[in-house]
């Protein structure tokens, strides 16, 4: 056994409910500062929080999607700490009985086998307000985010490489998006991720756990983890150790930087929240949510491979988002060649969409136009290269493919007589190549095909050209 890397993740995801967790204030990003606030979410004396049932639905949906058990009887707790963005000086969270526990997410281990990464718990809590620092150095507070519902997902330290952790994050994100629980926008703070990393050497020596915070993208998380693993190994090799601390990733310097030491564990003095009634769930309530779960990405992937005979790679790409998988399935309801659709979506469509930084909704042509294009290609009316030209123009202008094909004169020449005429002309002009071919130089054939295609402005059916050249040369 070699060195072992241990990585655990803690993820906070804001839930996409209409209103906040304990009051009727709107849950929206980007509103004017301090406009979505009321005495309840500010925690003013005399106000009473009432738990939003939708928060339970969303959190249980997440729990079931991540294979968790659901606690039937649980409660909210107060987590006491003083921080300016927390008006009450406590956060309403869950302490010893999380709503969901003991689940897992499956990832692909380094050796290619399936590996289950444990999820210790998923609990619900309220988000805090937000500190804003202005140009003069003053700190201002916006409480719009205070009381926005969150789930905190805590993994077990089961990930043994930054790559596994990256996959865990990707899968988590996919499920949250497919189930519509969170919009998972890291840049807007609706998904926040903290990472715990340490290394155990073969001889048993361990580095101290380092916590990585302020990771603003999955890529940053991956880089920060890779950086830390190297740093831990280097220190251990020198007989030194890491400090138990919190570090942040600095994108411009490509390294992690110490934020604060973590010598003492903070005592939050948790106790049950007396103002929110206990949560008691019936079997029926949980089953009802289970029955309404949408098809999850992993299941969809397996179904795509089985139902449409697609390779695993294709199935993975097509199920990275609900938009892409829906797009694919709508296409296949109109045209049955799954592999052809998959190829065109993966290469031409997604490449262009990603290059332009747009979504599938923004694409200028509809699926019927796309299907029309694939049909004329598969029927041999235009060749693949011409098809790509048509696609490009459809993408840029939204013009109908039939019009583009007509305007550009791209219809393939299928008429054998017409092609034969061109072939005979080319062969007579290139007698040396005909001779070369007869003497076993296969390259000469490619040259002749090229000449015929050129003469036909790329419109001759290439299979027909090939066959005719060989046939006619036999009699020369
Ligand atoms: Zn409120």
């Amino acid at each position: 056994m070699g060195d072992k890397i241990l990585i655990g993740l803690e993820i906070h995801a804001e839930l996409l409910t209409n209103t906040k967790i304990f009051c009727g204030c709107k849950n929206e990003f980007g509103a004017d500062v301090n406009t979505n606030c009321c005495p309840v979410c500010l925690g003013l004396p005399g106000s009473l929080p009432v738990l939003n049932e939708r928060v339970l639905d969303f959190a249980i949906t997440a729990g079931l999607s991540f294979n968790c058990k659901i606690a039937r009887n649980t409660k909210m707790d107060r987590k006491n700490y003083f921080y300016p963005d927390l008006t009450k000086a406590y956060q309403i969270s869950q302490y010893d009985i999380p709503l969901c526990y003991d689940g897992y997410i499956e990832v692909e281990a380094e050796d290619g086998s399936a590996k289950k990464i444990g999820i210790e718990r998923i609990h619900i809590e309220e988000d805090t307000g937000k500190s804003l620092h202005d140009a003069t150095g003053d700190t201002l507070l916006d409480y719009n985010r205070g009381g926005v519902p969150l789930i905190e997902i805590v993994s077990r330290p089961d990930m043994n490489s930054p790559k596994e952790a990256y996959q865990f994050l990707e899968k988590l994100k996919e499920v949250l998006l497919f189930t519509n629980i969170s919009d998972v926008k890291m840049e807007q703070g609706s998904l926040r991720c903290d990472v715990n990393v340490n290394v155990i050497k073969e001889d048993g020596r361990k580095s101290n756990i380092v916590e990585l915070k302020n990771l603003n993208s999955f890529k940053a998380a991956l880089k920060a983890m890779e950086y830390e693993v190297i740093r831990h190994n280097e220190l251990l090799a020198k007989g030194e150790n890491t400090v138990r601390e919190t570090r942040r990733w600095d994108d411009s310097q490509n390294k992690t930087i110490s934020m604060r030491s973590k010598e003492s564990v903070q005592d939050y003095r948790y106790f049950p929240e007396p103002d929110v009634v206990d949560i008691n769930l019936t079997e029926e309530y949980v089953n009802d949510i289970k029955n309404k779960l949408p098809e999850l990405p992993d299941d969809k992937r397996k179904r795509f491979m089985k139902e449409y005979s697609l390779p695993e790679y294709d199935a993975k790409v097509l199920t990275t988002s609900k938009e892409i998988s829906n797009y694919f399935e709508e296409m296949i309801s109109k045209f049955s060649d799954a592999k052809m659709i998959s190829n065109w979506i993966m290469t031409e469509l997604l490449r262009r969409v990603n290059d332009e930084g747009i979504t599938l909704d923004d694409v200028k042509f509809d699926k019927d136009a796309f299907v029309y294009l694939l049909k004329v290609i598969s029927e041999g009316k235009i060749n693949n290269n011409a098809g790509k030209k048509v696609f490009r123009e459809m993408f840029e202008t939204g013009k109908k493919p039939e019009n583009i094909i007509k305007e550009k004169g791209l219809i393939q020449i299928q008429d054998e007589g017409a092609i034969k005429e061109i072939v005979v002309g080319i062969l007579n002009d290139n007698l040396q190549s005909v001779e070369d071919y007869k003497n076993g130089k296969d390259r000469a054939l490619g040259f002749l095909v090229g000449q015929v295609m050129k003469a036909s402005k790329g419109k001759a059916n290439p299979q027909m050209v090939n066959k005719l050249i060989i046939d006619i040369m036999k009699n020369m």
Side-chain angles (χ1 to χ4, degrees):
M1 222 192 97
D3 297 350
K4 200 170 184 184
I5 301 164
L6 298 181
I7 298 175
L9 296 168
E10 276 177 35
I11 293 114
H12 284 91
E14 284 183 350
L15 303 180
L16 274 177
T17 52
N18 294 324
T19 55
K20 292 186 179 180
I21 183 168
F22 297 120
C23 64
C25 289
K26 260 198 241 165
N27 171 15
E28 63 176 340
F29 180 82
D32 285 343
V33 291
N34 292 317
T35 52
N36 289 333
C37 306
C38 74
V40 174
C41 55
L42 291 174
L44 299 184
S47 61
L48 277 179
V50 177
L51 182 61
N52 178 354
E53 200 180 307
R54 296 295 289 153
V55 172
L56 282 180
D57 295 347
F58 277 43
I60 293 169
T61 300
L64 293 171
S65 302
F66 297 131
N67 312 293
C68 289
K69 297 178 181 119
I70 309 298
R72 293 288 185 269
N73 303 300
T74 176
K75 62 186 166 68
M76 303 304 296
D77 299 279
R78 281 190 189 180
K79 181 181 181 181
N80 294 277
Y81 64 101
F82 178 72
Y83 207 70
D85 56 13
L86 196 63
T87 48
K88 305 189 285 273
Y90 62 82
Q91 179 188 24
I92 306 180
S93 179
Q94 290 194 291
Y95 178 47
D96 51 345
I97 315 174
L99 181 62
C100 318
Y101 59 100
D102 210 6
Y104 65 87
I105 290 179
E106 206 170 271
V107 301
E108 195 176 291
E110 297 285 321
D111 64 2
S113 62
K115 177 176 173 183
K116 286 177 181 169
I117 307 295
I119 290 179
E120 194 176 296
R121 58 186 285 158
I122 301 177
H123 66 254
I124 51 178
E125 62 187 27
E126 60 181 338
D127 210 342
T128 60
K130 218 171 166 180
S131 306
L132 306 165
H133 307 282
D134 75 1
T136 65
D138 284 339
T139 297
L140 304 167
L141 288 156
D142 177 10
Y143 291 112
N144 279 348
R145 204 181 68 180
V148 164
L150 287 179
I151 47 174
E152 181 176 342
I153 302 163
V154 182
S155 86
R156 298 215 163 87
D158 288 349
M159 288 153 276
N160 300 121
S161 72
K163 247 192 230 156
E164 283 179 15
Y166 186 80
Q167 279 187 66
F168 180 93
L169 286 170
E170 286 276 324
K171 289 231 165 168
L172 182 117
K173 177 179 165 178
E174 275 174 18
V175 169
L176 294 179
L177 284 175
F178 267 84
T179 48
N180 241 345
I181 288 173
S182 172
D183 62 13
V184 206
K185 288 182 178 154
M186 287 187 95
E187 67 283 6
Q188 292 184 1
S190 57
L191 190 86
R192 307 189 287 268
C193 138
D194 301 335
V195 184
N196 287 309
V197 188
N198 71 316
V199 171
I200 303 175
K201 301 298 280 182
E202 203 167 7
D203 58 15
R205 283 178 306 135
K206 289 183 194 185
S207 61
N208 288 312
I209 295 175
V210 167
E211 185 185 32
L212 301 170
K213 270 192 182 294
N214 290 6
L215 303 163
N216 56 12
S217 69
F218 288 178
K219 283 247 164 65
L222 180 65
K223 283 196 212 160
M225 289 186 277
E226 287 170 345
Y227 181 88
E228 277 303 302
V229 168
I230 294 170
R231 198 174 67 86
H232 286 227
N233 274 322
E234 281 175 357
L235 283 170
L236 289 175
K238 283 193 282 185
E240 294 168 22
N241 202 337
T242 49
V243 182
R244 193 176 159 77
E245 64 180 349
T246 301
R247 297 174 74 88
R248 67 180 175 85
W249 175 249
D250 188 312
D251 241 335
S252 58
Q253 298 186 63
N254 252 312
K255 62 181 202 178
T256 64
I257 290 166
S258 181
M259 282 170 81
R260 56 176 180 263
S261 72
K262 227 186 168 184
E263 286 306 329
S264 57
V265 177
Q266 205 173 352
D267 176 12
Y268 291 117
R269 293 187 301 113
Y270 280 99
F271 62 84
E273 164 63 56
D275 289 344
V276 179
V277 293
D278 288 352
I279 300 165
N280 299 303
L281 304 168
T282 62
E283 195 75 31
E284 205 185 347
Y285 184 82
V286 177
N287 279 338
D288 194 38
I289 296 173
K290 195 182 262 173
N291 293 334
K292 283 183 194 142
L293 282 184
E295 186 180 29
L296 296 173
D298 272 349
D299 299 329
K300 209 179 267 284
R301 201 162 293 148
K302 283 173 198 151
R303 180 169 65 80
F304 277 18
M305 289 167 69
K306 207 174 147 214
E307 198 173 321
Y308 306 123
S309 307
L310 288 173
E312 190 176 4
Y313 177 82
D314 295 47
K316 266 187 191 164
V317 174
L318 295 174
T319 54
T320 42
S321 80
K322 209 166 30 177
E323 286 69 33
I324 299 173
S325 60
N326 287 348
Y327 197 100
F328 171 77
E329 291 215 280
E330 274 180 56
M331 290 285 287
I332 203 144
S333 70
K334 301 166 192 280
F335 179 61
S336 63
D337 190 338
K339 184 60 185 147
M340 186 178 184
I341 297 174
S342 163
N343 286 345
W344 277 79
I345 289 182
M346 290 194 302
T347 55
E348 300 304 313
L349 182 65
L350 290 181
R351 188 168 53 81
R352 287 303 296 260
V353 163
N354 292 335
D355 283 354
E356 308 277 322
I358 59 173
T359 68
L360 287 175
D361 278 343
D362 302 327
V363 171
K364 288 182 181 143
F365 56 82
D366 60 20
K367 292 178 195 82
D368 285 326
F370 200 178
V371 164
Y372 177 89
L373 175 65
L374 300 191
K375 271 188 186 153
V376 292
I377 298 168
S378 74
E379 287 162 4
K381 286 185 183 145
I382 66 172
N383 65 36
N384 216 44
N385 277 336
K388 284 182 184 169
K389 268 186 216 159
V390 176
F391 179 88
R392 249 170 272 156
E393 182 146 353
M394 282 163 67
F395 194 91
E396 277 153 25
T397 64
K399 261 196 219 165
K400 283 198 178 316
E402 48 268 48
N403 295 342
I404 302 168
I405 292 167
K406 233 180 268 162
E407 276 167 34
K408 292 196 185 298
L410 293 170
I411 293 282
Q412 275 201 93
I413 305 172
Q414 302 273 22
D415 175 4
E416 199 172 311
I419 297 177
K420 201 169 181 175
E421 214 170 287
I422 303 173
V423 169
V424 169
I426 293 291
L427 293 183
N428 284 329
D429 289 347
N430 295 279
L431 290 171
Q432 184 59 48
S433 296
V434 176
E435 200 59 34
D436 288 348
Y437 179 75
K438 287 186 170 172
N439 292 328
K441 285 188 188 162
D442 286 345
R443 241 180 11 172
L445 178 64
F447 170 76
L448 291 167
V449 171
Q451 291 300 305
V452 174
M453 292 306 291
K454 207 167 139 191
S456 75
K457 297 197 178 70
K459 289 191 278 186
N461 178 319
Q463 288 82 23
M464 225 178 250
V465 171
N466 227 16
K467 186 180 163 289
L468 283 170
I469 292 179
I470 293 170
D471 284 354
I472 296 170
M473 280 196 298
K474 272 184 199 148
N475 303 317
M476 280 174 83

